[in-house]
Amino acid sequence: MSFSSTSDINSMRSAINQALSEFVKSENKYLAKIGPELDPVATAIESFLLDSGKRLRPLFAYVGLLGAGADASPEIIKAISSLELIHVCALIHDDVMDGSDTRRGSPSIHKLFEKMHTENQLVGSAPQFGISSAILIGDLALIWSAQMLHTSSIKNDQLIRTLPVYDEMRVELMAGQYLDVYEQSLGTQNVERSLKVARYKSGKYTIQRPLHFGASLAGASEELINSYTNYGIPLGEAFQLRDDLLGVFGDPSVTGKPAGDDLREGKRTALIAITMDRATNGQLKDLKSNFGDPNLTGEQVNLLQEIIISTGAASHIESMIKELTDTSLAALKHGGITPVGINLLTELAILATNRKI
Amino acid sequence: MSFSSTSDINSMRSAINQALSEFVKSENKYLAKIGPELDPVATAIESFLLDSGKRLRPLFAYVGLLGAGADASPEIIKAISSLELIHVCALIHDDVMDGSDTRRGSPSIHKLFEKMHTENQLVGSAPQFGISSAILIGDLALIWSAQMLHTSSIKNDQLIRTLPVYDEMRVELMAGQYLDVYEQSLGTQNVERSLKVARYKSGKYTIQRPLHFGASLAGASEELINSYTNYGIPLGEAFQLRDDLLGVFGDPSVTGKPAGDDLREGKRTALIAITMDRATNGQLKDLKSNFGDPNLTGEQVNLLQEIIISTGAASHIESMIKELTDTSLAALKHGGITPVGINLLTELAILATNRKI
């Protein structure tokens, strides 16, 4: 099997979706044996997982494996797909932490269970029931990820080799999430700090560690693993910077989120830090009185978007994305990555940084 | 090394505490390398873990191992101690779900971070910052548990044997937690349903699976594993029933929780279900108007306690505890458990069901 074009990435994604679907359906049968009370949990997690998602982490792991010269088998595909369930946990818990009502255009998990509580006229607080359910369902997704990896039937020595990478990836994710939560609570904006958050949340968790995970399945050399680091860290920062731009300028019909969502949320990103640094006093006044207001009108969103553009912050971020992506792609020239790996990593770099969702 | 008395259980607990302390200190060094922002996370998790706790799950795993005729080594002790970190996740997330301000007499993790937010005059909502931090710290504890097991240096075949038990234990915990949250949201009381929650939260998660975990490290026979099930499930129910009595009648100076905490919380337990079944109309009126009121006075708590006693529900639960414990102990006579294992399991059964905290 060889991969070298977008259609190959799509077929890799289909194989990942297939593995996830099989695993979740079988685990849901297990839950059903415990009792019908768990049916809503099973349905929610299955739809959340299977309805959409870019599968970036399993894809990077897949490509990490191919780039190290190994072939994928159904067992390997099950192992790499397990990374998506870590992400499901992160997203479900993130929505609770942010108080986000929607995810990918559908109600977030805590909103779904809040609604179930109201519709079934259960006793106690409906929002609290929603939050409790979402915390537990996120926990379950994190545990299912490990179970999917452990039951993937990859060889024992492959499993033993991947566990350190798998653990480090998860610790870095939670550390990065905390850095982000803490950053949002500070009264000041800072580009360096925003990039550090991006390094943990995206560079390491989304790209570098998944590549290492694939490499460890393949038993790759230290040199190759270093090349993946040099490719992954800058690309992750570029990925996050694209996310920041989409959070302000993204098309709601494509992102599934309201326009200017990050502006209403008051999300402190490198984009906003640069805007603040460069703003005139008048612009700063407009920014401070509107940024983070959950009830911003479309007009107010437009005003903030214009300030972000006119300070040059948006185009500065665009050029940072380009520079980081170039650095990332340059790392592919060294370190013995297979030609098919280089092609796919190039393609994924474009997919991660030049996207609309 | 042989164990046969309470002092032996205490020395096992010391060994477990030692392993936990070493692991958490080393992981905290890792967090410190990411950045000083994570210091509060490291401090909070270290105190929460090491300040107190009965270590029941590692203890049952330890005894499960000894009962199967194997000896403990430092590697094995590290592996079994990892189970405590699952429990740390469960407790931290539980406190968020219940909105509990204290745990073991100290502020719960979300309250601690809420306080830090207020004291440092951070921006945004302090309670939301507390909740977000606690969700992430609970997630981190769950991940650290796996990392502690994976890095315990037990033999690869031991690790591979324990993973299915380890995963099932964690899935059952989260399923049990959801059953509990759902049970609390129902308008009716039911003894059978309460016992089902007890079976998952205590029978399986606290006792049966930890015993199986120890047995799997030892490579035990199917027969022995079945004996552990027959001992663990009734004992877990008895353990939970004792918890229900302590939630109503526990001494605050010993439990670290306000007197009658479960009454204020309106916790639906087998004890309350039986009380409701047996109450006179007058008692039922008093129960319904007071049970679940977060502002109950000491006098109102006394009134409810008296109803629970006078209906005979409290003494009925006491006799259920006795009966379940007897069934549990009877299972020790079969299945080839070592004499030292039988002694320790007998002692743990008493510890779990005849306690004040």
Side-chain angles (χ1 to χ4, degrees):
Chain A
M1 194 160 37
S2 86
F3 291 105
S4 59
S5 71
T6 306
S7 71
D8 293 331
I9 297 221
N10 286 338
S11 66
M12 288 159 77
R13 197 185 276 119
S14 296
I16 292 162
N17 284 337
Q18 178 68 23
L20 285 167
S21 171
E22 279 169 20
F23 176 76
V24 170
K25 283 183 202 308
S26 117
E27 287 312 299
N28 279 348
K29 279 191 198 140
Y30 181 90
L31 292 186
K33 277 193 286 179
I34 297 178
E37 305 92 328
L38 292 166
D39 286 352
V41 171
T43 312
I45 205 164
E46 190 172 335
S47 332
F48 188 90
L49 179 64
L50 303 178
D51 279 0
S52 60
K54 294 185 284 285
R55 315 292 182 226
L56 275 182
R57 292 145 202 92
L59 280 175
F60 276 112
Y62 204 145
V63 174
L65 176 99
L66 298 177
D71 279 331
S73 62
E75 294 78 17
I76 295 267
I77 290 172
K78 184 170 176 186
I80 59 158
S81 300
S82 73
L83 303 186
E84 188 68 15
L85 281 159
I86 303 176
H87 199 52
V88 168
C89 165
L91 296 178
I92 293 174
H93 283 178
D94 220 34
D95 286 339
V96 173
M97 302 190 308
D98 291 347
S100 302
D101 292 357
T102 58
R103 165 70 62 184
R104 300 167 183 162
S106 302
S108 48
I109 295 286
H110 62 276
K111 274 286 153 189
L112 203 64
F113 279 77
E114 180 181 329
K115 201 162 151 255
M116 173 182 128
H117 189 284
T118 307
E119 283 175 357
N120 295 338
Q121 300 182 302
L122 300 178
V123 302
S125 152
Q128 193 61 28
F129 180 81
I131 289 171
S132 296
S133 303
I135 290 176
L136 293 173
I137 293 173
D139 289 345
L140 183 61
L142 188 58
I143 294 162
W144 273 1
S145 165
Q147 197 171 27
M148 188 171 184
L149 172 60
H150 297 156
T151 61
S152 62
S153 305
I154 54 173
K155 295 197 190 89
N156 286 349
D157 64 328
Q158 285 180 312
L159 178 61
I160 299 285
R161 275 204 308 267
T162 60
L163 291 176
V165 184
Y166 182 68
D167 288 334
E168 191 154 21
M169 172 177 171
R170 296 186 301 167
V171 170
E172 285 171 346
L173 163 64
M174 295 309 164
Q177 293 279 80
Y178 180 81
L179 289 180
D180 196 10
V181 167
Y182 184 69
E183 176 67 22
Q184 305 308 319
S185 77
L186 294 176
T188 58
Q189 309 273 350
N190 179 295
V191 180
E192 272 316 299
R193 286 201 317 260
S194 295
L195 288 178
K196 182 175 177 180
V197 175
R199 190 155 64 249
Y200 278 91
K201 286 188 63 169
S202 303
K204 287 172 169 288
Y205 161 65
T206 305
I207 306 183
Q208 179 202 27
R209 297 303 175 197
L211 286 169
H212 288 180
F213 185 89
S216 72
L217 283 169
S221 70
E222 200 61 38
E223 187 197 8
L224 187 96
I225 287 172
N226 288 338
S227 298
Y228 283 169
T229 299
N230 297 334
Y231 163 88
I233 299 290
L235 184 61
E237 294 184 15
F239 175 84
Q240 184 61 51
L241 294 175
R242 173 61 60 207
D243 228 41
D244 297 349
L245 284 171
L246 288 171
V248 171
F249 299 102
D251 177 350
S253 71
V254 183
T255 63
K257 287 193 246 185
D261 212 27
D262 282 2
L263 297 172
R264 286 196 184 80
E265 203 191 297
K267 202 165 164 73
R268 281 141 203 281
T269 60
L271 175 66
I272 299 298
I274 294 171
T275 304
M276 296 267 187
D277 279 351
R278 296 181 172 197
T280 63
N281 285 343
Q283 288 174 326
L284 214 50
K285 209 178 138 224
D286 279 338
L287 274 168
K288 288 195 173 163
S289 62
N290 289 299
F291 183 66
D293 174 355
N295 303 314
L296 283 186
T297 62
E299 209 172 313
Q300 288 168 313
V301 167
N302 284 346
L303 170 72
L304 294 180
Q305 287 175 333
E306 276 162 28
I307 294 173
I308 293 168
I309 293 169
S310 73
T311 55
S315 64
H316 183 76
I317 293 285
E318 285 288 1
S319 63
M320 280 175 79
I321 292 175
K322 178 160 188 331
E323 202 176 308
L324 287 162
T325 310
D326 288 348
T327 306
S328 168
L329 292 174
L332 297 178
K333 296 191 186 120
H334 315 283
I337 306 169
T338 61
V340 64
I342 292 176
N343 282 344
L344 287 165
L345 288 168
T346 306
E347 192 151 353
L348 282 173
I350 294 161
L351 195 72
T353 56
N354 190 18
R355 61 201 159 89
K356 300 209 174 338
I357 186 167
Chain B
M1 195 159 37
S2 85
F3 292 103
S4 59
S5 72
T6 306
S7 71
D8 293 331
I9 299 227
N10 286 337
S11 65
M12 288 158 77
R13 197 185 277 118
S14 297
I16 291 162
N17 285 337
Q18 178 68 26
L20 286 166
S21 171
E22 279 169 22
F23 176 76
V24 170
K25 282 183 204 310
S26 116
E27 287 312 301
N28 280 347
K29 279 190 200 140
Y30 180 90
L31 292 186
K33 278 192 287 179
I34 298 178
E37 305 92 327
L38 292 166
D39 285 352
V41 171
T43 311
I45 205 164
E46 192 173 333
S47 331
F48 188 90
L49 179 63
L50 302 178
D51 280 0
S52 59
K54 294 187 282 287
R55 315 294 183 224
L56 276 181
R57 292 145 200 92
L59 281 175
F60 276 112
Y62 204 143
V63 174
L65 175 98
L66 298 176
D71 279 333
S73 62
E75 294 78 19
I76 295 267
I77 290 172
K78 184 171 177 186
I80 59 158
S81 301
S82 73
L83 303 187
E84 188 69 14
L85 281 159
I86 302 176
H87 199 53
V88 168
C89 164
L91 296 179
I92 294 174
H93 282 177
D94 220 32
D95 286 340
V96 173
M97 300 190 309
D98 291 348
S100 301
D101 290 356
T102 60
R103 164 70 61 182
R104 301 168 182 161
S106 301
S108 49
I109 296 285
H110 63 276
K111 274 286 154 187
L112 204 65
F113 280 76
E114 181 181 328
K115 202 164 149 252
M116 173 182 128
H117 190 283
T118 307
E119 283 174 359
N120 295 338
Q121 301 182 300
L122 300 177
V123 302
S125 152
Q128 192 62 27
F129 180 80
I131 289 171
S132 296
S133 303
I135 291 176
L136 293 173
I137 293 173
D139 289 344
L140 183 62
L142 188 60
I143 293 162
W144 272 2
S145 165
Q147 198 172 27
M148 187 171 185
L149 172 60
H150 297 156
T151 61
S152 63
S153 305
I154 54 174
K155 295 197 190 91
N156 286 350
D157 63 328
Q158 286 180 311
L159 178 60
I160 298 287
R161 275 204 308 267
T162 60
L163 291 177
V165 184
Y166 182 69
D167 288 334
E168 190 153 22
M169 174 178 170
R170 296 186 298 167
V171 171
E172 284 171 347
L173 163 63
M174 295 309 163
Q177 292 282 80
Y178 180 81
L179 289 180
D180 196 9
V181 167
Y182 184 69
E183 176 67 21
Q184 304 308 320
S185 77
L186 294 177
T188 58
Q189 309 274 351
N190 179 295
V191 180
E192 272 315 302
R193 285 200 319 257
S194 294
L195 288 178
K196 181 175 178 180
V197 174
R199 189 154 65 248
Y200 278 91
K201 286 187 64 167
S202 302
K204 287 173 170 286
Y205 161 64
T206 305
I207 306 183
Q208 180 201 24
R209 296 302 174 199
L211 286 170
H212 287 180
F213 185 89
S216 72
L217 283 169
S221 69
E222 200 60 39
E223 187 196 9
L224 188 96
I225 287 173
N226 288 337
S227 298
Y228 283 169
T229 299
N230 297 334
Y231 163 89
I233 298 291
L235 185 61
E237 293 185 17
F239 176 86
Q240 185 61 50
L241 294 175
R242 173 61 60 208
D243 228 42
D244 296 349
L245 283 170
L246 288 171
V248 171
F249 299 103
D251 177 350
S253 71
V254 183
T255 61
K257 288 193 245 183
D261 212 28
D262 282 4
L263 297 172
R264 285 196 183 80
E265 203 191 298
K267 202 165 162 75
R268 282 141 203 279
T269 61
L271 177 65
I272 299 298
I274 293 171
T275 303
M276 296 267 189
D277 279 350
R278 295 180 173 198
T280 62
N281 284 344
Q283 288 173 326
L284 214 51
K285 210 177 136 221
D286 279 338
L287 275 169
K288 290 198 171 160
S289 61
N290 288 298
F291 183 66
D293 174 356
N295 304 313
L296 283 187
T297 63
E299 209 171 313
Q300 289 168 312
V301 167
N302 285 344
L303 171 72
L304 294 180
Q305 287 175 332
E306 277 162 29
I307 294 173
I308 294 167
I309 292 168
S310 74
T311 54
S315 63
H316 183 76
I317 293 285
E318 283 289 359
S319 63
M320 280 175 80
I321 293 175
K322 179 158 187 333
E323 202 176 311
L324 286 161
T325 310
D326 288 347
T327 306
S328 167
L329 292 174
L332 297 178
K333 296 192 185 121
H334 314 282
I337 306 170
T338 61
V340 64
I342 292 176
N343 282 344
L344 287 164
L345 288 169
T346 306
E347 194 151 351
L348 282 174
I350 294 161
L351 195 73
T353 56
N354 190 19
R355 60 201 160 89
K356 301 209 173 338
I357 186 168

